[in-house]
Amino acid sequence: MTTRPRPLPFPAALGLALLLPVQAVALAGAAHAHGDTLKVVITGQQAGKVTADVTWENDGDPVEEAVAATVNAVSADGSRTAGPWRLVRGTGGAATWTTAETLPPGTWTVTVDAGFPSLGHAQQEVAVPVVDPAPPTASSGASPAPSPSGAPATATASAPPASATSPASAPASDSDDAGWWTTAGVAGIALAGAAAGILLRRRRLRRL
């Protein structure tokens, strides 16, 4: 036994019939306000990444939806190709788009084809410069300059002058004088002792 779908009540059917034309008019009005095509302008490159501005052609408003666009590039001599790559949102503004991939140095003919939310096309020549490597940094330490004579510049202690004498070295005359006085004192003591001995002997002889 088959069951047939119950028809909508008359008020609901009437509301749905009125709503569909209103939505269609609203969508058509929005599309007409922005236009039916995208304006794609290739602005150049940043570190080899292709950059482009994508706006609505009619009013110039940035595209709020996700843009489905492919990027292709051909070298100036036609020997190299790059892509297809897709555009992703950049950081330069609401209308800025870029690629995640980078072009090698050289001159390229870049083509952008957009398919959503509307059609768009652009072609531009983009030059990617060659980035020179950073020069090596010079060492901060400097070697000392050699002396003019070629010998190492080292300080040498100079000998003391010949006229300087140490205090321990006394003149020879002083030592001779001291020896003479010592000898004279010993001789005097010896003579006094001899004289005393002679006097004692004489006194003993007189007593006897």
Side-chain angles (χ1 to χ4, degrees):
M1 180 178 179
T2 59
T3 58
R4 296 179 179 179
R6 298 177 58 185
L8 292 174
F10 179 74
L14 180 61
L16 181 60
L18 294 176
L19 181 61
L20 291 176
V22 171
Q23 289 181 346
V25 171
L27 293 175
H32 179 72
H34 287 301
D36 56 355
T37 57
L38 297 177
K39 182 180 180 181
V40 182
V41 178
I42 300 173
T43 57
Q45 59 83 31
Q46 288 184 355
K49 298 180 179 181
V50 178
T51 57
D53 289 342
V54 181
T55 57
W56 290 101
E57 188 174 14
N58 189 32
D59 54 13
D61 290 343
V63 180
E64 298 178 357
E65 299 90 339
V67 174
T70 57
V71 180
N72 292 276
V74 181
S75 62
D77 57 1
S79 62
R80 294 180 295 171
T81 60
W85 300 332
R86 68 185 186 92
L87 285 179
V88 295
R89 286 196 180 272
T91 57
T96 303
W97 295 76
T98 184
T99 59
E101 299 82 3
T102 59
L103 287 172
T107 302
W108 300 84
T109 300
V110 179
T111 304
V112 178
D113 289 298
F116 182 84
S118 190
L119 299 178
H121 175 79
Q123 190 175 68
Q124 181 71 31
E125 188 176 272
V126 176
V128 181
V130 177
V131 179
D132 295 332
T137 58
S139 59
S140 59
S143 58
S147 59
S149 60
T154 56
T156 57
S158 59
S163 59
T165 57
S166 60
S169 60
S173 59
D174 295 343
S175 60
D176 295 341
D177 293 342
W180 183 85
W181 284 108
T182 303
T183 304
V186 173
I189 293 173
L191 293 176
I198 293 171
L199 292 176
L200 289 176
R201 286 179 181 178
R202 287 180 178 180
R203 289 179 179 179
R204 288 179 182 178
L205 291 175
R206 288 178 181 177
R207 290 178 182 178
L208 293 176

